[in-house]
């Protein structure tokens, strides 16, 4: 387990230093790490195998979530894997109960057949007594032999309980499917572009999103002719990167300042944006400036469409203490140090500086401003998000960061 602990520490370091870019890449790396944890977890036949795996995944999950609490995709994948473990354990238990009930029914039927044959043989002997020649030619009674199923059970017990290996195999297969879904989420979302973007429409977006780029390019490949208006996404101006990429693909693209969104929104047919996370109430955490775009879209009755993979579905609500709704980035993205150093007093014992620079990274967009979510499972309204979350997460795994009191402290608190 030393190598595994090293992998956990390396990944936690990358998260804390912000060396992993994008929610999809973060989700994929988290799932692959948890797959390694599960595959190398040692279990004995006397323990609850699912409980051991859940404790191991929870412990690693807390470690990597604490490394970067802002990246909600990490917690999402940890909870998804915990849900997979619970579901696979339940499926195995249900299968064992089904087999045992079928075996019991078969044994009852065999006993009924034995009773019937025994009674039939007894009546036959009474009606037709056995001859002396038959009695003299009969073989002596053979010693009792073990039932083949009993010998198989003995061999299984001698080799150890195979249920742990079966559980691990099923969990690993499910986690592999999850990793594959994360890898192909962009393509599955892009396949739905032709159903939403129509001929000669104008689509507006903000900043840079790989999912949005794939979505728009997929519509272009389907011979849709439309225009794209890109708000530049200050202060990083990542909209410039998206605009160059779309123009290279042959899309007619226009770059505007973020403050021009209200002036341009009346000419737009649809707003398509990517987000950082989708919360349990249908609200979204998105790049800064997105709430302004959503308000402008509602003011002019323009559909506000969010494209996001299911790995961005967070089962927590915005008011949950585990959710950090924002992250303050470096002030140098707004102003260079030389531009505002004259407004700061560096003398000892001086008062607070006269100039403060705040650079929030995210906006919160409430669900009433969102028209449609396009995910890798299809299109959904904000009111349907709770149903998707119930299919991917267990209520027992929502509070990963909750610290349980020791028994003596718990009793004293009572």
């Amino acid at each position: 387990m030393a190598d595994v602990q090293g992998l956990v520490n390396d990944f936690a370091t990358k998260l804390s230093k912000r060396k992993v870019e994008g929610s999809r890449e973060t989700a994929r790396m988290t799932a692959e790490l948890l797959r390694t944890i599960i595959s190398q977890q040692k279990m004995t036949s006397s323990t609850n195998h699912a409980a051991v795996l859940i404790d191991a995944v929870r412990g690693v999950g807390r470690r990597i979530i604490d490394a970067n609490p802002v990246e909600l995709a990490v917690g999402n994948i940890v909870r998804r894997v915990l849900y997979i473990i619970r579901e696979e354990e339940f499926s195995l238990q249900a299968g064992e109960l089904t087999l045992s009930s079928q075996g019991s029914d078969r044994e009852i039927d065999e006993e009924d057949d034995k009773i019937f044959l025994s009674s039939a043989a007894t009546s036959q002997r009474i009606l037709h007594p056995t001859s002396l020649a038959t009695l003299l030619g009969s073989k002596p009674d053979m010693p009792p032999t073990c039932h083949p199923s009993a010998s198989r059970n003995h061999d299984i017990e001698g080799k150890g309980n195979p249920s742990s290996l079966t559980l691990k195999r099923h969990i690993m297969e499910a986690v592999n499917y999850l990793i594959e879904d994360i890898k192909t989420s962009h393509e599955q979302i892009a396949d739905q572009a032709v159903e939403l973007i129509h001929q000669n429409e104008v689509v507006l977006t903000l900043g840079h999103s790989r999912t949005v780029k794939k979505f728009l390019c997929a519509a272009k490949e389907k011979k849709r002719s439309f225009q794209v208006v890109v708000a530049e996404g200050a202060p990083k101006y990542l909209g410039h990167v998206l605009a160059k990429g779309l123009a290279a693909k042959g899309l007619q693209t226009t770059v505007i300042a973020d403050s021009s969104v209200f002036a341009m929104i009346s000419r737009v047919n649809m707003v398509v944006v990517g987000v950082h996370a989708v919360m349990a109430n249908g609200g979204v955490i998105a790049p800064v400036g997105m709430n302004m775009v959503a308000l402008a879209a509602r003011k002019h009755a323009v559909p506000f469409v969010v494209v996001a993979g299911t790995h961005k579905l967070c089962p927590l609500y915005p008011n949950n203490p585990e959710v950090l709704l924002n992250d303050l980035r470096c002030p140098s993205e707004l102003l260079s140090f030389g531009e505002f150093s004259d407004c700061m007093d560096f003398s000892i014992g001086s008062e607070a500086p006269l100039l403060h620079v705040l650079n929030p990274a995210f906006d919160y967009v409430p669900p009433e401003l969102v028209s449609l979510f396009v995910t890798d499972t299809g299109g959904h309204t904000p009111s349907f998000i709770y149903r998707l979350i119930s299919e991917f997460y267990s209520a027992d795994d929502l509070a990963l960061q909750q610290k349980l009191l020791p028994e003596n402290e718990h009793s004293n608190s009572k």
Side-chain angles (χ1 to χ4, degrees):
M1 295 296 289
D3 295 339
V4 174
Q5 195 61 37
L7 292 176
V8 175
N9 293 335
D10 290 343
F11 185 55
T13 302
K14 290 180 180 179
L15 289 175
S16 61
K17 294 182 177 181
R18 313 296 174 91
K19 291 186 177 180
V20 184
E21 295 183 0
S23 297
R24 190 180 74 150
E25 185 67 12
T26 304
R28 182 190 64 79
M29 294 179 67
T30 303
E32 291 177 350
L33 175 64
L34 296 180
R35 180 180 62 183
T36 304
I37 297 297
I38 293 171
S39 64
Q40 299 192 17
Q41 182 65 39
K42 296 180 180 180
M43 296 179 292
T44 60
S45 58
S46 60
T47 59
N48 186 339
H49 308 132
V52 171
L53 294 177
I54 288 174
D55 290 341
V57 172
R58 272 180 174 270
V60 174
R62 294 191 187 100
R63 172 79 173 85
I64 57 181
I65 289 173
D66 289 339
N68 188 0
V70 178
E71 189 54 77
L72 297 178
V74 176
N76 297 343
I77 298 303
V78 171
R79 294 181 178 93
R80 288 279 296 270
V81 173
L82 290 172
Y83 180 76
I84 288 172
I85 296 173
R86 297 181 188 277
E87 284 296 299
E88 294 300 333
E89 181 194 25
F90 178 78
S91 299
L92 284 178
Q93 290 178 349
E96 290 174 359
L97 288 175
T98 302
L99 291 175
S100 62
S101 62
Q102 292 176 353
S104 300
D105 295 340
R106 191 180 298 111
E107 290 176 0
I108 292 173
D109 294 338
E110 290 177 355
E111 290 295 330
D112 292 341
D113 293 340
K114 290 179 181 178
I115 294 173
F116 174 77
L117 292 174
S118 176
S119 59
T122 303
S123 60
Q124 185 73 12
R125 285 195 299 268
I126 294 174
L127 294 177
H128 302 282
T130 307
S131 63
L132 181 59
T134 303
L135 291 174
L136 293 175
S138 61
K139 297 181 180 180
D141 294 337
M142 298 294 293
T145 59
C146 284
H147 196 273
S149 61
S151 62
R152 284 198 302 269
N153 293 336
H154 179 73
D155 293 339
I156 289 175
E157 292 175 359
K159 295 179 180 178
N161 193 347
S163 60
S164 62
L165 299 177
T166 305
L167 178 64
K168 263 191 178 183
R169 186 176 69 253
H170 289 182
I171 293 173
M172 296 286 288
E173 291 176 356
V175 174
N176 287 335
Y177 282 128
L178 172 61
I179 295 173
E180 189 63 26
D181 288 340
I182 295 172
K183 290 180 179 180
T184 60
S185 59
H186 285 176
E187 289 74 15
Q188 294 176 8
I189 293 172
D191 291 341
Q192 307 170 58
V194 70
E195 302 175 3
L196 297 175
I197 299 178
H198 303 95
Q199 196 75 5
N200 299 324
E201 285 190 338
V202 179
V203 179
L204 184 142
T205 187
L206 171 70
H208 179 262
S209 168
R210 296 181 181 89
T211 312
V212 171
K213 182 179 178 181
K214 285 268 188 181
F215 189 82
L216 298 176
C217 290
K220 172 65 176 177
E221 292 172 359
K222 298 294 183 180
K223 307 303 180 182
R224 288 282 194 268
S225 177
F226 59 97
Q227 301 180 32
V228 181
V229 177
V230 181
E232 58 186 359
K236 287 189 172 182
Y237 302 105
L238 294 179
H240 298 174
V241 179
L242 177 62
K244 292 178 182 178
L246 294 177
K249 295 290 184 179
L251 281 164
Q252 186 176 352
T253 309
T254 304
V255 179
I256 63 172
D258 297 341
S259 56
S260 304
V261 169
F262 257 105
M264 294 292 297
I265 196 70
S266 60
R267 308 178 186 180
V268 172
N269 300 104
M270 180 190 304
V271 176
V272 179
V273 296
V275 297
H276 178 67
V278 180
M279 308 309 294
N281 64 339
V284 298
I285 299 177
V288 66
M290 197 66 75
N291 191 57
M292 173 190 66
V293 177
L295 289 171
R298 185 176 69 169
K299 181 70 174 178
H300 291 269
V302 176
F304 187 86
V305 179
V306 173
V307 290
T310 51
H311 59 274
K312 292 187 178 182
L313 293 180
C314 181
L316 305 178
Y317 286 86
N319 58 353
N320 192 294
E322 291 188 27
V323 177
L324 295 181
L325 285 179
N326 226 319
D327 185 26
L328 293 180
R329 300 293 177 90
C330 182
S332 63
E333 293 179 357
L334 297 175
L335 293 173
S336 65
F337 182 76
E339 291 176 335
F340 63 86
S341 60
D342 296 338
C343 301
M344 302 180 69
D345 189 357
F346 296 98
S347 61
I348 300 175
S350 63
E351 297 180 357
L354 300 177
L355 177 64
H356 295 273
V357 179
L358 294 180
N359 183 18
F362 302 114
D363 261 349
Y364 173 70
V365 181
E368 56 267 20
L369 298 183
V370 180
S371 304
L372 181 69
F373 287 98
V374 179
T375 70
D376 41 343
T377 62
H380 310 286
T381 59
S383 59
F384 194 77
I385 293 299
Y386 82 96
R387 181 67 179 272
L388 287 179
I389 288 176
S390 66
E391 295 177 358
F392 295 137
Y393 301 102
S394 170
D396 297 330
D397 303 320
L398 298 185
L400 288 177
Q401 301 299 93
Q402 184 177 1
K403 299 291 190 303
L404 298 177
L405 292 174
E407 293 183 1
N408 54 355
E409 296 183 10
H410 183 70
S411 60
N412 293 335
S413 63
K414 290 183 178 179

